[in-house]
Every structure is written in C-alpha cells, then in structure tokens.
Amino acid sequence: MLRRPTDWALGFAYAVAWAIAGWLWTGPLNDLDYFFLPAVRIALSGHPFMVYAVRFRTILAIDNGPLGLVPLTAVAALVARLGWLDDERLRRMVILAAFSIFSLLMAREAVSAIDRLRGTSLGGLARVLAYGVFVASPTLWLSVLGYGHVEQPMTLWLVLLGVRSLAGKRPLAAGISFGLAMLTRTVATLPLISLGLLLLARHRWRAAGWLAAGAAFIVMLGLLPFLLVDPADTIYSLVTHRGNLPPGGGSIWMLVVGTPYQWIPQRADILIVLGLAALASLIVIRARQDLEPTSRDFYGVLALTALTLPLLAKSVWPYYFLDAYVFGAIWWLGQAHPLALGARLIGAAVPLIAVVGTLLTEYEMGASSAPIRLPEGVVMGVVLAVLMIALAVRLRSRASAFSTQAP
C-alpha cells in the first residue's frame, strides 16, 4: 500500500528534474526546434496531415513516423494556450516534463523484463538502481535533452511491450506494438526483423504471420492519411530524401568519402544496416535452438542488431546508441549475478560501450567546426565491429544460456 504513493512521488520528482533541465539547458537548438515543433505548428494550424512539408536547409526532412508528433501536438496545444509556445525555455520545460512519462514507461518495461528473466522481482535498493540504469542513462539524457528526440523512449517502450506480448504468446498484440513503434521511429524495424526471423526459424508460421500482419496493418493505417493528403512530401521525408545526404561525421563510411564508392553509403546505408541486422540475427538463431523470446539471450540479440545502426549508418549521432544501451542493459542485468567477475561481467560491455560511443560521437560533433572528422568515426567503427563479433560469439555459445542460474 505504501509502494504506490512512493512510485508517484518518485515519478513526479523525475518529471520535475526534466523540467528543470529543460529550463536550464543552454545548448544549441536541436531536432525538436528544427523539425518536430515546426511540424506541430502545421498540425495546430489545422493541417495535421501535412507535417512532412517541414524542411531544414531545404533538404533535411522528418524521417520518422508521425506517431511521436501526436502527444507532442497535445502538449504544444497546452503550451500555446498558456502563451509559452514562442518561449524556447518555457516550452522545452513543459515538453520534457510531459514526455518524461515515456522514459519511465520504458524503464518500467525494462525492469519488468529483468524480473521475468531472473525469475524473481528486484526489491529495495536493487530495484531503484535498476531503474536508475535506464532513466539516468547519459545516452537517454543526451538524446532527449541535447538532440530533442523526445519520441525515442516512446519507441523503446513500445518495442519492449511488443517483445513481452510475443513472449506471452500474443503475436497479434506484438505486431500492433511494433507497428506503433515503427510509426514513432523507423529503426524499430531492426528488433522486428530479429523477432520475425526467430519465429520463422522455429517454423511458427502462424505467429510470424500475425506479427507481420499486425505491424503492417498499423503502419499502413497510420501513414495512409498522410499519403492521401500530401504524398510527395510524405514519400520524400520517409523514403527518398535520405539518399540526397552525403556521408557525415562519426561514421566508418568516412573511409570512402571522395572515392568512386561514396554512392554506396549515400544511397544504400539503411539497406546495408537492415541486411547486417538480419544476418547477425540468423547467425545466432541458427546456432541456438534453445533461443526464444522469453530467453535472456534474446535481448542480447536485440542489442547485437541495434549496434548495426551506429556501425554502418552513413552519419552517426549520439542518440543512435540508446537502443543498444537499453537492450544490452536488460541482457546484462537479467542474469542472476550481473556483477560477478569473469564471463558474466561481459554483459556490462554493451551498455558501457554504448555510453562511450555516445560521448565519443558527441565529442566528435562538437570538437571542430569541420563537417567531417575521420579518426573518431573509424575508431568507433572498429570498436563496434569488434564488440559485435565478440557478442555474436558469446550469444552463439549455449554456455550463456545458463548464466542466469546460480553458481
């Protein structure tokens, strides 16, 4: 009976912390200001299905689905009613406080996954610390506060909810969750690939069909109004505009800039990311016949596939590491003794390197006014490649399946 008031008090304190951070933030404008709020202004002006007309520097456009704009529009309407929409600090304070609920939902789903994997619920200080791993992550704060991607925790919450639904033998509910996640951020396709391949490898055709059908139906239903009202801008934003952008900072693809091979990452980096994610998933799934959506190591597979984005995207931003951080932290903390020395401590490498990658990429972004810096991108690419190989080897070993058991 005492736990619920304490939970509400901690949640309120967390929202206040985000509000204070938003008020005090003195960094440069970010994607919230350049993309999402202009789109919200279009929606508030009476044209909600024309939000993809937003452009920054005539080329850059919103390349995420529209679902994240729905709660943002509701919050912006309240801010406008208060007369704060044109005040950068006040609007950011309210928006970050309101969207902190999605960080808490993400953390709640992550800690619930850890409880299921361990077979017992964390309690007391251990539970508080587990929540802290997710809600106080430097990658999360930099992603939301520094780069304005307030929708990213929402995406991860929906993905984790979808994994739990599939583990509970509800593939249609899982497909709906993944469809909503993809309407929030298109990179939610990566964990969906892993789940789909796992079901197909286990010959669960009906479950795979329901999963795919649910996700496809939701995505089509969500995008159809935008395609009918403003097809040119919608297709440009979600499909074609990325091909106009050259390779940028933080990427290992800097090695091909200025060569005849530059067109490969410029035109096809996302296809390469998706292909490597599918290949990495299959390498583990085929070797581990015991792997299931209920397995701890499946979150390791999700972390493995999430790492393909910062490894092979033609421009790497600090918030690209958040998905790998969350999945990796669940995989790590889901074992019985996550702080034990030796092989069990390897699980900590994924969230640790995700944080290092976040900070190194952020340094690369701000260390120089030059648009491209080669060393950081190459170093981080090599580190991520080594981590992915080591992680794949670890996941392929059945020994990791027993790491949740007490010694």
Side-chain angles (χ1 to χ4, degrees):
M1 293 178 61
L2 295 176
R3 181 176 175 180
R4 187 169 295 276
T6 302
D7 290 347
W8 281 102
L10 290 174
F12 178 76
Y14 186 67
V16 170
W18 273 106
I20 294 173
W23 172 261
L24 296 177
W25 176 253
T26 57
L29 298 179
N30 52 40
D31 288 352
L32 179 64
D33 306 287
Y34 292 137
F35 295 103
F36 304 139
L37 284 175
V40 163
R41 291 179 186 273
I42 292 175
L44 291 177
S45 70
H47 303 283
F49 301 123
M50 298 189 66
V51 294
Y52 286 113
V54 171
R55 295 288 182 274
F56 178 63
R57 294 176 179 171
T58 70
I59 296 178
L60 298 175
I62 299 174
D63 56 2
N64 290 331
L67 185 58
L69 296 175
V70 175
L72 183 58
T73 302
V75 175
L78 172 62
V79 174
R81 191 172 184 85
L82 294 172
W84 296 350
L85 192 57
D86 294 324
D87 189 306
E88 178 187 334
R89 297 177 70 184
L90 288 174
R91 76 188 182 208
R92 185 170 55 235
M93 177 185 72
V94 176
I95 290 171
L96 295 187
F99 271 77
S100 67
I101 183 62
F102 293 113
S103 296
L104 290 172
L105 288 171
M106 176 196 72
R108 181 182 180 183
E109 202 63 45
V111 174
S112 295
I114 292 170
D115 288 342
R116 292 194 306 272
L117 296 174
R118 291 168 58 91
T120 182
S121 295
L122 294 170
L125 181 60
R127 192 169 193 83
V128 174
L129 292 175
Y131 265 90
V133 167
F134 299 100
V135 300
S137 159
T139 305
L140 172 67
W141 281 76
L142 187 59
S143 300
V144 176
L145 179 61
Y147 286 87
H149 279 270
V150 294
E151 84 293 346
Q152 200 168 5
M154 181 180 177
T155 306
L156 284 164
W157 166 54
L158 290 168
V159 167
L160 294 174
L161 185 62
V163 175
R164 176 161 64 90
S165 297
L166 190 60
K169 302 186 185 303
R170 293 177 292 142
L172 180 58
I176 292 172
S177 292
F178 271 98
L180 293 173
M182 292 166 65
L183 283 176
T184 310
R185 281 180 64 83
T186 51
V187 295
T189 307
L190 293 174
L192 181 60
I193 287 175
S194 298
L195 275 174
L197 290 175
L198 179 61
L199 294 176
L200 292 175
R202 303 295 180 261
H203 305 293
R204 296 173 189 168
W205 314 113
R206 180 174 297 182
W210 281 116
L211 177 69
F217 176 77
I218 293 297
V219 170
M220 290 175 60
L221 185 65
L223 293 182
L224 184 60
F226 300 89
L227 290 170
L228 292 176
V229 174
D230 188 13
D233 285 325
T234 302
I235 293 173
Y236 175 79
S237 296
L238 297 179
V239 182
T240 61
H241 103 276
R242 187 174 177 86
N244 296 324
L245 307 177
S251 172
I252 200 171
W253 288 113
M254 294 298 96
L255 293 172
V256 302
V257 170
T259 73
Y261 304 102
Q262 181 175 328
W263 68 270
I264 297 176
Q266 181 166 338
R267 299 292 183 183
D269 68 321
I270 290 302
L271 295 178
I272 298 173
V273 167
L274 295 176
L276 180 59
L279 177 61
S281 298
L282 282 175
I283 287 174
V284 177
I285 290 170
R286 293 297 299 272
R288 290 285 303 278
Q289 295 300 315
D290 62 315
L291 195 66
E292 296 290 343
T294 55
S295 305
R296 182 182 74 91
D297 281 351
F298 184 70
Y299 288 91
V301 175
L302 295 181
L304 178 67
T305 57
L307 288 169
T308 60
L309 181 64
L311 174 65
L312 290 177
K314 62 185 175 183
S315 296
V316 179
W317 297 88
Y319 53 87
Y320 282 10
F321 292 90
L322 183 58
D323 295 43
Y325 175 90
V326 171
F327 298 140
I330 295 174
W331 181 61
W332 170 43
L333 297 177
Q335 60 186 330
H337 302 282
L339 297 180
L341 296 177
R344 295 180 181 181
L345 200 56
I346 293 177
V350 178
L352 177 60
I353 292 180
V355 171
V356 172
T358 300
L359 299 178
L360 183 62
T361 307
E362 175 63 15
Y363 166 77
E364 183 270 338
M365 293 292 177
S368 171
S369 59
I372 293 177
R373 287 175 57 87
L374 180 64
E376 290 86 354
V378 174
V379 169
M380 201 63 237
V382 172
V383 171
L384 290 178
V386 172
L387 175 62
M388 287 188 64
I389 293 171
L391 183 56
V393 172
R394 180 77 172 100
L395 291 170
R396 281 173 58 87
S397 171
R398 294 180 64 88
S400 63
F402 301 106
S403 60
T404 58
Q405 299 177 4

